[in-house]
Amino acid sequence: MKLITGDFKDVTVDRLGINGEGIATINRMVIFIPNLLPGERAKVEITRVEKNYAEARVVKRDNDSKDRVKAPCPIYDECGGCQIQHMSSRLQMEYKEEIVRNAFRQKTKLNVEKSDIRPTIGMEDPWYYRNKSQFPLGTRHGEIVSGLYKPNTNHLVSIEHCMVQQRDTTNINNAIVRILNELDIPVYDARRDTGYARTVVVRSGYNTNDVQVVLVVGHEDVPDLDELSDRIMALPNVVSFHININSNRSSVIFGYRTVHIAGQEKMDEQLDDVHYHLSPRAFFQLNPAQTEKMYREVVEAAALTGEERVIDAYAGVGSIGLWLAPHAKEIRGMEVVPEAVEDANDHMRENGYSHVTYVEGRAEHWIPRWVKDGWLPDVVVVDPPRTGMDHQLINSIISSKAKRIVYVSCNPQTLARDTDQLMKAGYKVNYVQPYDMFPQTSHVESVVVFEKKKKKKY
């Protein structure tokens, strides 16, 4: 019998999906149901029907899994920022490892059961870890509020306390919202192209306590900007204030132009003994505690002896390069964001690393050029966005004949896709180490080490 939107069905969940939802099957049709765990039975209402799958919501749950816990966040069901607060820590770790394993099963010929895919490395205290908040602004009953949009809606859920954000980011965000209300600075309306305040972005130093604030605005001529600036700079630990102008109607947070208003142009951060200076738009890992663990893994995985040439692709501000620099003969890296390239080179100069250079542009442009000039890398380190590596970049790396690739991935699906291409080109998977970089969410990162297979001698 064909499923219809509005149908009520009794289901039993047998596994979890990549977004943390429970998966059940009715008449060979896969049903995705948020907030259900394996082994749980429930009456559900079908909310969407597609050709190969359907979605449903829980009407009544009949039993609780032993791994179900009470989500401590009072707006967990509304916000959508977290997906798996209702899972025990044990299940969260197993679930994330299984996401990685399944991606390799589906997209590669890797023998997953015999490969070295390791248990997920988690956090001892998986709360209050995010060092950066990006909360859009809206109005409710004439007051400015900030928060996140409820999934698949235009409803802004007001967030005054977030259990996965560092406390400084939330406290400063709330203070800025109060200041905007007191100064009566209008929220930007993209449809009418009126108003100003659009998004509050707050980044907090994990080991320095420095706070950097960016107010994204629809128009540059913000009223009472001097007073706004003075009051923001007077907030605890704030050392840097910028505005970013974005009048686009899309949901993209940042526009192309950022203006320094007060304080330092960059904020200071430190991971282990490595120091960073961060521009407002420079990418930096959002979970510093886990990043320290993961970067130590990258250094160990690269297995540098001081004689290797290294490529640092998708380099950001040189975050990983700074950890590799003491162990490499030479490092060359690239990044498409100009401010990040500037930050990366500044970091190397400040730390006395004259053998490390970063350039602006795409890796698939620079690597073939360097190879043509006779500069061949021994090790390539990549940390791409969720879309994974560009196909041309993979071909460039393959052509460079690098002996080792260390791949830092934030998306198991694109990681597995890229792994398949590298395996076909003669690379073997040495090991896979998943990391829980975003506890309480369905995201998982991994460090994967590839080695070039040695040609057999006959």
Side-chain angles (χ1 to χ4, degrees):
M1 183 180 295
K2 187 176 180 180
L3 289 177
I4 299 173
T5 300
D7 279 353
F8 291 89
K9 298 290 183 180
D10 294 314
V11 300
T12 300
V13 169
D14 53 32
R15 63 190 191 279
L16 293 167
I18 61 173
N19 296 310
E21 66 277 77
I23 298 178
T25 305
I26 300 176
N27 299 331
R28 299 184 180 180
M29 174 75 85
V30 172
I31 317 294
F32 295 100
I33 315 148
N35 206 1
L36 277 187
L37 299 178
E40 292 185 335
R41 302 178 301 277
K43 180 180 289 294
V44 302
E45 180 185 7
I46 305 299
T47 57
R48 181 180 178 186
V49 179
E50 298 292 338
K51 182 178 180 180
N52 298 316
Y53 71 93
E55 296 175 357
R57 69 173 186 89
V58 176
V59 176
K60 182 179 181 298
R61 190 173 65 248
D62 297 329
N63 68 311
D64 287 346
S65 162
K66 64 179 177 19
D67 284 302
R68 176 171 288 279
V69 298
K70 180 175 175 56
C73 176
I75 57 171
Y76 171 58
D77 293 329
E78 288 184 78
C79 166
C82 298
Q83 300 83 42
I84 57 174
Q85 281 193 24
H86 60 288
M87 289 186 198
S88 67
S89 293
R90 183 197 69 81
L91 181 57
Q92 288 194 31
M93 296 304 100
E94 291 183 0
Y95 159 68
K96 295 192 179 193
E97 179 187 340
E98 193 60 21
I99 288 178
V100 175
R101 287 178 174 273
N102 278 335
F104 283 114
R105 287 189 188 104
Q106 295 164 6
K107 297 182 182 294
T108 76
K109 292 184 178 180
L110 184 71
N111 188 331
V112 171
E113 276 57 52
K114 292 186 177 181
S115 296
D116 188 4
I117 301 178
R118 301 173 180 180
T120 306
I121 293 177
M123 298 185 73
E124 291 181 11
D125 182 9
W127 303 99
Y128 303 107
Y129 59 85
R130 286 181 63 103
N131 63 354
K132 186 179 183 181
S133 63
Q134 300 181 150
F135 288 164
L137 299 165
T139 56
R140 182 170 304 158
H141 308 302
E143 292 283 318
I144 298 174
V145 296
S146 68
L148 294 175
Y149 287 101
K150 188 174 182 178
N152 305 314
T153 74
N154 291 321
H155 174 65
L156 186 67
V157 178
S158 178
I159 299 175
E160 295 184 0
H161 176 73
C162 178
M163 297 188 67
V164 297
Q165 285 288 157
Q166 285 185 16
R167 290 176 175 86
D168 268 1
T169 65
T170 308
N171 293 339
I172 296 297
N173 176 84
N174 292 344
I176 292 171
V177 171
R178 287 194 296 272
I179 293 169
L180 291 171
N181 273 304
E182 289 166 6
L183 295 179
D184 199 23
I185 296 175
V187 168
Y188 181 68
D189 185 328
R191 289 177 298 177
R192 297 182 176 88
D193 192 28
T194 59
Y196 297 92
R198 185 164 181 162
T199 304
V200 177
V201 182
V202 181
R203 177 150 54 188
S204 175
Y206 174 61
N207 283 311
T208 64
N209 294 322
D210 283 2
V211 173
Q212 184 180 67
V213 174
V214 182
L215 179 64
V216 182
V217 296
H219 297 106
E220 185 174 353
D221 56 333
V222 180
D224 296 317
L225 181 58
D226 288 343
E227 185 175 355
L228 174 65
S229 174
D230 289 344
R231 294 184 64 175
I232 288 176
M233 290 300 299
L235 296 173
N237 299 326
V238 174
V239 300
S240 175
F241 175 47
H242 297 70
I243 61 171
N244 174 269
I245 297 91
N246 180 11
S247 57
N248 295 324
R249 295 189 177 185
S250 71
S251 59
V252 174
I253 291 175
F254 284 110
Y256 290 107
R257 193 158 70 92
T258 302
V259 180
H260 174 232
I261 302 299
Q264 302 168 191
E265 288 197 26
K266 302 176 183 181
M267 67 167 278
D268 294 331
E269 178 59 298
Q270 179 179 337
L271 299 181
D272 273 3
D273 295 327
V274 180
H275 296 265
Y276 302 93
H277 305 296
L278 305 177
S279 299
R281 292 195 59 202
F283 170 78
F284 196 73
Q285 290 282 358
L286 296 174
N287 185 336
Q290 288 293 84
T291 298
E292 289 181 336
K293 297 177 187 177
M294 190 169 71
Y295 284 1
R296 292 185 203 117
E297 180 88 43
V298 171
V299 173
E300 184 177 339
L304 302 178
T305 66
E307 298 300 320
E308 292 84 6
R309 291 172 169 176
V310 180
I311 285 178
D312 181 10
Y314 302 99
V317 297
S319 304
I320 293 176
L322 276 170
W323 289 63
L324 297 173
H327 313 286
K329 178 179 180 180
E330 184 180 359
I331 298 177
R332 294 184 181 184
M334 69 291 292
E335 169 61 54
V336 296
V337 179
E339 298 95 328
V341 175
E342 180 184 341
D343 286 351
N345 284 318
D346 285 347
H347 287 145
M348 296 307 164
R349 281 192 294 271
E350 290 165 8
N351 285 275
Y353 297 134
S354 58
H355 62 301
V356 185
T357 307
Y358 289 92
V359 292
E360 182 184 340
R362 299 177 69 84
E364 52 270 28
H365 165 77
W366 283 105
I367 294 177
R369 181 171 168 177
W370 292 335
V371 169
K372 186 178 179 181
D373 291 341
W375 194 90
L376 302 176
D378 301 293
V379 178
V380 177
V381 178
V382 295
D383 185 5
R386 290 189 62 78
T387 51
M389 285 201 287
D390 183 278
H391 181 70
Q392 288 180 289
L393 171 57
I394 294 177
N395 289 337
S396 298
I397 292 173
I398 292 168
S399 299
S400 77
K401 297 182 171 58
K403 301 179 187 69
R404 179 173 288 232
I405 301 167
V406 182
Y407 191 139
V408 180
S409 165
C410 59
N411 185 342
Q413 302 302 312
T414 54
L415 167 64
R417 179 202 67 198
D418 296 345
T419 296
D420 184 57
Q421 291 192 55
L422 291 170
M423 288 176 64
K424 289 175 180 176
Y427 285 91
K428 67 176 182 178
V429 175
N430 189 329
Y431 71 86
V432 181
Q433 177 61 71
Y435 279 86
D436 187 16
M437 293 293 285
F438 299 98
Q440 319 310 328
T441 80
S442 58
H443 297 297
V444 56
E445 300 215 1
S446 305
V447 174
V448 185
V449 184
F450 298 90
E451 289 185 356
K452 186 74 173 175
K453 289 181 182 177
K454 295 179 180 178
K455 293 184 178 179
K456 294 181 180 179
K457 295 180 179 180
Y458 296 94

